[in-house]
PDB file of all heavy atoms in Angstrom:
ATOM      1  N   HIS A 111     -12.306 -25.558 -18.019  1.00 96.00           N
ATOM      2  CA  HIS A 111     -11.829 -25.675 -16.638  1.00 96.00           C
ATOM      3  C   HIS A 111     -12.870 -25.197 -15.623  1.00 96.00           C
ATOM      4  O   HIS A 111     -12.533 -24.982 -14.460  1.00 96.00           O
ATOM      5  CB  HIS A 111     -10.553 -24.848 -16.449  1.00 96.00           C
ATOM      6  CG  HIS A 111      -9.318 -25.471 -17.027  1.00 96.00           C
ATOM      7  ND1 HIS A 111      -8.794 -26.649 -16.569  1.00 96.00           N
ATOM      8  CD2 HIS A 111      -8.494 -25.057 -18.024  1.00 96.00           C
ATOM      9  CE1 HIS A 111      -7.699 -26.946 -17.260  1.00 96.00           C
ATOM     10  NE2 HIS A 111      -7.504 -26.007 -18.154  1.00 96.00           N
ATOM     11  N   THR A 112     -14.112 -25.024 -16.060  1.00 97.00           N
ATOM     12  CA  THR A 112     -15.086 -24.384 -15.159  1.00 97.00           C
ATOM     13  C   THR A 112     -15.586 -25.304 -14.039  1.00 97.00           C
ATOM     14  O   THR A 112     -16.047 -24.819 -13.013  1.00 97.00           O
ATOM     15  CB  THR A 112     -16.308 -23.869 -15.959  1.00 97.00           C
ATOM     16  OG1 THR A 112     -16.756 -24.946 -16.796  1.00 97.00           O
ATOM     17  CG2 THR A 112     -15.966 -22.659 -16.803  1.00 97.00           C
ATOM     18  N   MET A 113     -15.520 -26.626 -14.276  1.00 97.00           N
ATOM     19  CA  MET A 113     -16.044 -27.530 -13.240  1.00 97.00           C
ATOM     20  C   MET A 113     -15.055 -27.650 -12.082  1.00 97.00           C
ATOM     21  O   MET A 113     -13.857 -27.483 -12.253  1.00 97.00           O
ATOM     22  CB  MET A 113     -16.311 -28.912 -13.825  1.00 97.00           C
ATOM     23  CG  MET A 113     -17.514 -28.916 -14.754  1.00 97.00           C
ATOM     24  SD  MET A 113     -18.348 -30.497 -14.835  1.00 97.00           S
ATOM     25  CE  MET A 113     -17.081 -31.593 -15.357  1.00 97.00           C
ATOM     26  N   LEU A 114     -15.594 -27.987 -10.916  1.00 96.00           N
ATOM     27  CA  LEU A 114     -14.745 -28.222  -9.745  1.00 96.00           C
ATOM     28  C   LEU A 114     -14.686 -29.708  -9.461  1.00 96.00           C
ATOM     29  O   LEU A 114     -15.632 -30.441  -9.764  1.00 96.00           O
ATOM     30  CB  LEU A 114     -15.367 -27.561  -8.508  1.00 96.00           C
ATOM     31  CG  LEU A 114     -15.280 -26.056  -8.363  1.00 96.00           C
ATOM     32  CD1 LEU A 114     -15.911 -25.648  -7.032  1.00 96.00           C
ATOM     33  CD2 LEU A 114     -13.847 -25.574  -8.425  1.00 96.00           C
ATOM     34  N   HIS A 115     -13.594 -30.132  -8.849  1.00 95.00           N
ATOM     35  CA  HIS A 115     -13.529 -31.507  -8.364  1.00 95.00           C
ATOM     36  C   HIS A 115     -14.757 -31.731  -7.472  1.00 95.00           C
ATOM     37  O   HIS A 115     -15.067 -30.904  -6.608  1.00 95.00           O
ATOM     38  CB  HIS A 115     -12.239 -31.678  -7.551  1.00 95.00           C
ATOM     39  CG  HIS A 115     -11.909 -33.094  -7.224  1.00 95.00           C
ATOM     40  ND1 HIS A 115     -12.676 -33.838  -6.355  1.00 95.00           N
ATOM     41  CD2 HIS A 115     -10.913 -33.904  -7.643  1.00 95.00           C
ATOM     42  CE1 HIS A 115     -12.151 -35.042  -6.246  1.00 95.00           C
ATOM     43  NE2 HIS A 115     -11.091 -35.114  -7.038  1.00 95.00           N
ATOM     44  N   GLU A 116     -15.458 -32.831  -7.665  1.00 95.00           N
ATOM     45  CA  GLU A 116     -16.723 -33.044  -6.963  1.00 95.00           C
ATOM     46  C   GLU A 116     -16.541 -33.041  -5.434  1.00 95.00           C
ATOM     47  O   GLU A 116     -17.433 -32.640  -4.684  1.00 95.00           O
ATOM     48  CB  GLU A 116     -17.346 -34.367  -7.447  1.00 95.00           C
ATOM     49  CG  GLU A 116     -18.808 -34.555  -7.124  1.00 95.00           C
ATOM     50  CD  GLU A 116     -19.756 -33.495  -7.711  1.00 95.00           C
ATOM     51  OE1 GLU A 116     -19.398 -32.805  -8.688  1.00 95.00           O
ATOM     52  OE2 GLU A 116     -20.861 -33.339  -7.154  1.00 95.00           O
ATOM     53  N   GLN A 117     -15.351 -33.442  -5.014  1.00 95.00           N
ATOM     54  CA  GLN A 117     -15.099 -33.508  -3.566  1.00 95.00           C
ATOM     55  C   GLN A 117     -15.108 -32.107  -2.925  1.00 95.00           C
ATOM     56  O   GLN A 117     -15.349 -31.975  -1.731  1.00 95.00           O
ATOM     57  CB  GLN A 117     -13.742 -34.198  -3.333  1.00 95.00           C
ATOM     58  CG  GLN A 117     -13.544 -34.773  -1.949  1.00 95.00           C
ATOM     59  CD  GLN A 117     -14.566 -35.841  -1.597  1.00 95.00           C
ATOM     60  OE1 GLN A 117     -15.214 -36.417  -2.481  1.00 95.00           O
ATOM     61  NE2 GLN A 117     -14.735 -36.066  -0.313  1.00 95.00           N
ATOM     62  N   LEU A 118     -14.884 -31.092  -3.767  1.00 95.00           N
ATOM     63  CA  LEU A 118     -14.900 -29.726  -3.222  1.00 95.00           C
ATOM     64  C   LEU A 118     -16.300 -29.324  -2.749  1.00 95.00           C
ATOM     65  O   LEU A 118     -16.448 -28.505  -1.838  1.00 95.00           O
ATOM     66  CB  LEU A 118     -14.380 -28.729  -4.257  1.00 95.00           C
ATOM     67  CG  LEU A 118     -12.857 -28.571  -4.256  1.00 95.00           C
ATOM     68  CD1 LEU A 118     -12.366 -27.908  -5.525  1.00 95.00           C
ATOM     69  CD2 LEU A 118     -12.381 -27.779  -3.036  1.00 95.00           C
ATOM     70  N   ALA A 119     -17.329 -29.913  -3.382  1.00 95.00           N
ATOM     71  CA  ALA A 119     -18.704 -29.625  -2.941  1.00 95.00           C
ATOM     72  C   ALA A 119     -18.905 -30.150  -1.518  1.00 95.00           C
ATOM     73  O   ALA A 119     -19.565 -29.515  -0.690  1.00 95.00           O
ATOM     74  CB  ALA A 119     -19.696 -30.255  -3.911  1.00 95.00           C
ATOM     75  N   THR A 120     -18.306 -31.299  -1.240  1.00 95.00           N
ATOM     76  CA  THR A 120     -18.401 -31.879   0.105  1.00 95.00           C
ATOM     77  C   THR A 120     -17.658 -30.988   1.090  1.00 95.00           C
ATOM     78  O   THR A 120     -18.131 -30.717   2.193  1.00 95.00           O
ATOM     79  CB  THR A 120     -17.763 -33.296   0.118  1.00 95.00           C
ATOM     80  OG1 THR A 120     -18.248 -33.988  -1.023  1.00 95.00           O
ATOM     81  CG2 THR A 120     -18.070 -34.037   1.389  1.00 95.00           C
ATOM     82  N   PHE A 121     -16.494 -30.519   0.667  1.00 95.00           N
ATOM     83  CA  PHE A 121     -15.698 -29.626   1.506  1.00 95.00           C
ATOM     84  C   PHE A 121     -16.514 -28.368   1.832  1.00 95.00           C
ATOM     85  O   PHE A 121     -16.603 -27.929   2.978  1.00 95.00           O
ATOM     86  CB  PHE A 121     -14.416 -29.283   0.743  1.00 95.00           C
ATOM     87  CG  PHE A 121     -13.483 -28.356   1.456  1.00 95.00           C
ATOM     88  CD1 PHE A 121     -12.882 -28.730   2.652  1.00 95.00           C
ATOM     89  CD2 PHE A 121     -13.181 -27.114   0.927  1.00 95.00           C
ATOM     90  CE1 PHE A 121     -12.013 -27.863   3.316  1.00 95.00           C
ATOM     91  CE2 PHE A 121     -12.310 -26.252   1.583  1.00 95.00           C
ATOM     92  CZ  PHE A 121     -11.733 -26.623   2.777  1.00 95.00           C
ATOM     93  N   LEU A 122     -17.162 -27.811   0.791  1.00 95.00           N
ATOM     94  CA  LEU A 122     -17.937 -26.583   0.976  1.00 95.00           C
ATOM     95  C   LEU A 122     -19.094 -26.803   1.960  1.00 95.00           C
ATOM     96  O   LEU A 122     -19.416 -25.933   2.769  1.00 95.00           O
ATOM     97  CB  LEU A 122     -18.459 -26.105  -0.382  1.00 95.00           C
ATOM     98  CG  LEU A 122     -18.842 -24.629  -0.466  1.00 95.00           C
ATOM     99  CD1 LEU A 122     -18.690 -24.126  -1.892  1.00 95.00           C
ATOM    100  CD2 LEU A 122     -20.261 -24.368  -0.010  1.00 95.00           C
ATOM    101  N   ARG A 123     -19.680 -27.993   1.896  1.00 95.00           N
ATOM    102  CA  ARG A 123     -20.825 -28.277   2.782  1.00 95.00           C
ATOM    103  C   ARG A 123     -20.426 -28.332   4.257  1.00 95.00           C
ATOM    104  O   ARG A 123     -21.275 -28.388   5.132  1.00 95.00           O
ATOM    105  CB  ARG A 123     -21.507 -29.580   2.363  1.00 95.00           C
ATOM    106  CG  ARG A 123     -22.285 -29.444   1.073  1.00 95.00           C
ATOM    107  CD  ARG A 123     -23.233 -30.622   0.815  1.00 95.00           C
ATOM    108  NE  ARG A 123     -23.976 -30.367  -0.417  1.00 95.00           N
ATOM    109  CZ  ARG A 123     -23.605 -30.794  -1.633  1.00 95.00           C
ATOM    110  NH1 ARG A 123     -22.512 -31.527  -1.772  1.00 95.00           N
ATOM    111  NH2 ARG A 123     -24.328 -30.504  -2.690  1.00 95.00           N
ATOM    112  N   GLY A 124     -19.118 -28.314   4.527  1.00 96.00           N
ATOM    113  CA  GLY A 124     -18.664 -28.283   5.925  1.00 96.00           C
ATOM    114  C   GLY A 124     -18.811 -26.909   6.561  1.00 96.00           C
ATOM    115  O   GLY A 124     -18.748 -26.783   7.782  1.00 96.00           O
TER     116      GLY A 124
END
Side-chain angles (χ1 to χ4, degrees):
H111 284 296
T112 50
M113 289 208 302
L114 285 182
H115 191 292
E116 196 60 21
Q117 200 61 19
L118 274 163
T120 314
F121 179 64
L122 201 153
R123 288 194 177 93

